Amino acid sequence: MPHFDLPLADLATYLPARREPADFDRFWADTLTAARAAPLDVETAPHATVLPLVDSRHLWFSGFDGDRIHALLIAPSPAVVPGPVPMVVQFLGYGDGTGSPLDWLALPAAGFATLVVDTRGQGARARRAGATGDAAGSASPHVEGFLTRGILDPADYYYRRVFTDAVRAVEAAASLDFVDPSRIAVAGASQGGGIALAAAALADGVAAAVVNVPFLCHMQRAVEITARAPYAELLAFVRTHRADADRALATLDYFDGVNMAARSEVPALFSVALMDDVCPPSTVYAAYNHYAGTKELEVYTYNEHEGGGVAQDELTIAWLRERFATT
């Protein structure tokens, strides 16, 4: 895939006007207040593993509307790394599942605990299937997938539930007795990057954010310049529901990473791939350039949506260790 988006010099200064609803902050304050009315009710259970140097557990907590959300908790054994330890709350790419502890050993090997959070209703496409359904129904029609589910009403929109789950996941992580609550990061790539960006903006107690090739950013532009999935779902909706297109796009403004970025002030590490036609570079730069906190951006000139891969993972660990002063 050759470069298809704006030239790099233009991307560096790309700062589109934010499509921000007047009641954005009230919408999210009310949403989170309602979610917190249910007890967080964190539960854990042993996770069978052949890895003697890590502690692996299933973890459940109450997310949106009290729905029980599953996550996979992996931490270095206390005999290897005495607590309290820093924590990275990890959000997943579109359709991905939590998988096995074997998939998530890099951070525990570097001295971090990690909480890998199911995305409700997802987990049937990659790794092992997720263990969390989406109990809420949606009144409006939606294209197969998740991006258009409930899209005609912000209160009914799928990502309202997902972003609320993410905030509650940070709260669940902070409640663990072996975790240092002053050293909690959120991280993810693609959809996970978009969720991490929302968690950094909405959750209390986040100290750092890693936002790799994020999805759900500058979505109005995304649907105009790429036909790749998952944005293809949104394109199909506005193409077939033409009379509702403006209403659908207005719903997305409550969830757009550009608006979330303007509300997060924690240190952040972003990455972008200039040949990425799944999450186009200009959509990433729009969020990055609006980001309110201190920030760094790693640019992968010749990569597509895979981004920096292992190189970015190594950079992330080094960046987090510096922020959290781990040895």
Side-chain angles (χ1 to χ4, degrees):
M1 179 70 197
H3 294 166
F4 71 98
D5 207 335
L6 300 173
L8 183 57
D10 292 341
L11 290 170
T13 59
Y14 186 60
L15 194 70
R18 298 202 309 272
R19 290 167 43 103
E20 187 173 290
D23 64 341
F24 183 98
D25 294 313
R26 174 52 54 194
F27 174 85
W28 280 110
D30 290 348
T31 294
L32 296 176
T33 296
R36 289 172 177 139
L40 190 58
D41 195 17
V42 175
E43 296 180 292
T44 64
H47 186 291
T49 180
V50 295
L51 304 168
L53 300 184
V54 298
D55 179 13
S56 177
R57 306 181 217 171
H58 295 286
L59 182 146
W60 294 268
F61 63 92
S62 295
F64 181 89
D65 203 27
D67 295 340
R68 298 299 282 167
I69 308 300
H70 170 262
L72 187 61
L73 174 63
I74 311 111
S77 167
V80 178
V81 182
V85 297
M87 163 67 81
V88 179
V89 183
Q90 178 81 43
F91 302 107
L92 296 167
Y94 200 74
D96 205 356
T98 49
S100 160
L102 290 168
D103 296 317
W104 306 103
L105 290 179
L107 286 165
F112 297 85
T114 187
L115 185 67
V116 186
V117 183
D118 264 348
T119 312
R120 58 170 59 223
Q122 298 189 27
R125 180 177 60 85
R127 275 187 261 260
R128 292 182 187 172
T132 302
D134 183 17
S138 294
S140 58
H142 64 273
V143 176
E144 182 178 0
F146 304 93
L147 187 56
T148 65
R149 184 171 292 175
I151 199 170
L152 296 183
D153 182 354
D156 190 36
Y157 190 47
Y158 171 74
Y159 282 100
R160 181 180 182 229
R161 303 189 288 278
V162 171
F163 288 0
T164 301
D165 296 343
V167 170
R168 298 288 270 170
V170 171
E171 296 169 357
S175 76
L176 299 171
D177 58 10
F178 63 89
V179 169
D180 180 350
S182 70
R183 295 188 292 168
I184 294 178
V186 292
S190 192
Q191 176 186 251
I195 299 171
L197 189 54
L202 299 173
D204 297 327
V206 175
V210 178
V211 182
N212 290 322
V213 292
F215 181 47
L216 304 170
C217 294
H218 200 11
M219 288 184 270
Q220 169 96 45
R221 177 168 172 82
V223 76
E224 293 172 353
I225 66 172
T226 183
R228 289 288 305 275
Y231 284 120
E233 297 172 17
L234 178 56
L235 180 60
F237 187 95
V238 297
R239 179 186 293 139
T240 57
H241 294 80
R242 292 182 291 275
D244 291 323
D246 288 345
R247 183 178 170 191
L249 294 171
T251 289
L252 298 180
D253 294 339
Y254 289 88
F255 306 90
D256 199 297
V258 172
N259 294 331
M260 295 295 180
R263 287 167 168 76
S264 180
E265 297 182 351
V266 305
L269 175 64
F270 282 71
S271 68
V272 63
L274 298 188
M275 293 186 177
D276 186 352
D277 62 342
V278 175
C279 295
S282 59
T283 69
V284 178
Y285 271 93
Y288 178 78
N289 289 336
H290 275 288
Y291 194 82
T294 59
K295 57 195 176 185
E296 301 175 37
L297 177 66
E298 193 70 13
V299 179
Y300 294 96
T301 304
Y302 300 109
N303 287 89
E304 298 182 26
H305 193 52
E306 77 279 3
V310 172
Q312 185 66 16
D313 293 341
E314 292 175 344
L315 179 63
T316 293
I317 289 172
W319 186 84
L320 287 170
R321 291 182 68 186
E322 180 181 355
R323 296 296 165 295
F324 291 162
T326 60
T327 59

